[in-house]
Amino acid sequence: MIDKTMEPVRTEPSQDAVVRDHAVMLSALGILAYVASMMTHEALGHGAACIAARGHNVMLTGWAEGCNLRPEPLGITAAGPAVQFGAGLLAWLALRLLAPPCFAILRSFLWLYMVFDLFMPSGYAAFSGVTDFGDGAVIIAGLSPHGLWRGMLILIGAVVYYLSMWAAALELQTS
């Protein structure tokens, strides 16, 4: 005899569980993409440039890199944001060419990594112009008129940031 009082067993997760799962996954991917982006800037950018200039890295964190060369060549200072932005462009290319829509997790990671790698150096350039602090400020330190160069950092940073937002939005539409 079959007991009809028993509820059928659900084999699919509830909508609430799926939403929570997606939020946790996207949060984890966001943290991973952020850390990868910062290490791209510090280790692959500044750090590799220091080694290429025959220096030694004396400190490396997610927010700073120290090279033993004094005075530090401007190429080392410029390499961090340049490599980070270049990595963002490569991530955008990979997203468009190598990550089909069915690979949602890979596409999400690449999009987040692209966003961090494009937004951070462009925003950092504008920030350096406004505050006269950071990699951009070090690069323009000896140039005059200094106010004009700071204005250029702000303008270039703002324009590239806007274009980066456009690229990020474009990729969200194609996903």
Side-chain angles (χ1 to χ4, degrees), residues 82-122:
V83 169
Q84 187 178 28
F85 191 78
L89 294 176
L90 288 175
W92 189 14
L93 183 65
L95 192 57
R96 304 216 94 197
L97 300 177
L98 304 175
C102 62
F103 293 161
I105 294 173
L106 175 62
R107 289 189 61 77
S108 296
F109 173 78
L110 284 173
W111 185 84
L112 287 163
Y113 182 70
M114 175 195 80
V115 166
F116 285 128
D117 281 348
L118 296 179
F119 285 9
M120 304 233 347
S122 56

Side-chain angles (χ1 to χ4, degrees), residues 66-84:
C67 185
N68 70 333
L69 298 177
R70 295 291 176 256
E72 188 172 292
L74 288 180
I76 294 172
T77 304
V83 169
Q84 187 178 28

